[in-house]
Amino acid sequence: SAVISQKPSRDICQRGTSLTIQCQVDSQVTMMFWYRQQPGQSLTLIATANQGSEATYESGFVIDKFPISRPNLTFSTLTVSNMSPEDSSIYLCSVGGTQYFGPGTRLLVL
Amino acid sequence: GESVGLHLPTLSVQEGDNSIINCAYSNSASDYFIWYKQESGKGPQFIIDIRSNMDKRQGQRVTVLLNKTVKHLSLQIAATQPGDSAVYFCAEAPGSGGSNYKLTFGKGTLLTVNP
């Protein structure tokens, strides 16, 4: 299994600002996934990030709102842009076919 | 008024009892299924998986049953312990490899184990 860390673990942000979330894996992986978990709800896939190519976004998510970087096989970032209170969620990265998850970033937008 | 999606199905059991958590999946083409456990303040933790060519798989204290005819998945936890208290999610994927590992998660069930 992979060990995944995320930074920050939590943050409180003002509306209109942006936050970049980092995901670090202890081994090289081809695919990384970013999910959103709104309060009390299940997980929804935002996008799939492969190293060396642009991220693939799911329906309802766009690159301008959630730009993703994947500079190497152990690291990825997700930016939540121009935030509103509706963006308050837990953001999680995962790796691998079985999909091991990071601890999540808890975001509150005021 | 009631907010959609904020009320998880709940299951409350006594310590030592067996627990059964159910999940109905939507895509008949799904080939791969996973159960996750999510404790408060943590990310989902892999419990057990099963592929569509199987109908049962056992792990340590857990068993997953798959009924493709009715698109139903269940997780059985034997001798439930207080540490099993968490939200349990099922997830489905259309196949193995590449983008086919895009998981669709179920709603989740809150399991509470009473000592």
Side-chain angles (χ1 to χ4, degrees):
Chain A
S1 65
V3 177
I4 305 167
S5 61
Q6 288 186 232
K7 289 181 181 180
S9 59
R10 60 180 65 242
D11 207 342
I12 300 173
C13 300
Q14 296 299 317
R15 68 173 67 206
T17 63
S18 298
L19 176 71
T20 295
I21 302 167
Q22 299 178 6
C23 178
Q24 180 76 51
V25 190
D26 68 341
S27 58
Q28 294 184 339
V29 294
T30 303
M31 300 175 70
M32 296 179 77
F33 304 88
W34 285 99
Y35 288 83
R36 180 176 72 183
Q37 186 175 24
Q38 293 177 301
Q41 297 194 33
S42 189
L43 285 77
T44 301
L45 181 64
I46 298 171
T48 303
N50 290 338
Q51 194 270 335
S53 63
E54 290 209 358
T56 304
Y57 289 83
E58 297 301 302
S59 175
F61 298 97
V62 295
I63 188 171
D64 289 347
K65 176 67 176 177
F66 297 102
I68 288 171
S69 77
R70 183 79 203 275
N72 58 53
L73 291 173
T74 63
F75 187 78
S76 178
T77 67
L78 170 77
T79 299
V80 186
S81 303
N82 188 24
M83 289 183 285
S84 67
E86 291 71 34
D87 294 320
S88 298
S89 292
I90 303 171
Y91 292 87
L92 300 130
C93 67
S94 74
V95 303
T98 308
Q99 297 202 23
Y100 296 97
F101 282 83
T105 295
R106 282 147 185 81
L107 172 61
L108 176 63
V109 184
L110 302 178
Chain B
E2 181 176 352
S3 298
V4 175
L6 293 181
H7 299 282
L8 289 173
T10 60
L11 175 64
S12 183
V13 301
Q14 290 299 123
E15 182 177 0
D17 288 352
N18 296 332
S19 302
I20 299 176
I21 301 171
N22 296 303
C23 176
Y25 65 93
S26 57
N27 187 350
S28 58
S30 290
D31 180 58
Y32 181 53
F33 305 87
I34 308 175
W35 278 101
Y36 290 94
K37 171 186 180 183
Q38 187 175 28
E39 296 174 281
S40 181
K42 297 184 178 180
Q45 175 188 1
F46 171 88
I47 301 173
I48 192 168
D49 60 359
I50 189 168
R51 297 204 177 273
S52 62
N53 61 350
M54 304 174 68
D55 52 22
K56 180 179 180 179
R57 190 163 188 226
Q58 288 184 291
Q60 187 176 15
R61 277 202 310 120
V62 294
T63 301
V64 55
L65 298 177
L66 174 63
N67 185 330
K68 295 182 287 293
T69 302
V70 295
K71 293 189 287 187
H72 184 267
L73 196 66
S74 68
L75 176 70
Q76 300 178 1
I77 305 173
T80 315
Q81 303 167 359
D84 295 325
S85 295
V87 177
Y88 289 81
F89 292 99
C90 66
E92 58 181 301
S96 60
S99 61
N100 288 329
Y101 269 136
K102 291 195 294 187
L103 293 176
T104 301
F105 279 78
K107 193 172 184 178
T109 296
L110 174 62
L111 173 66
T112 302
V113 182
N114 302 307

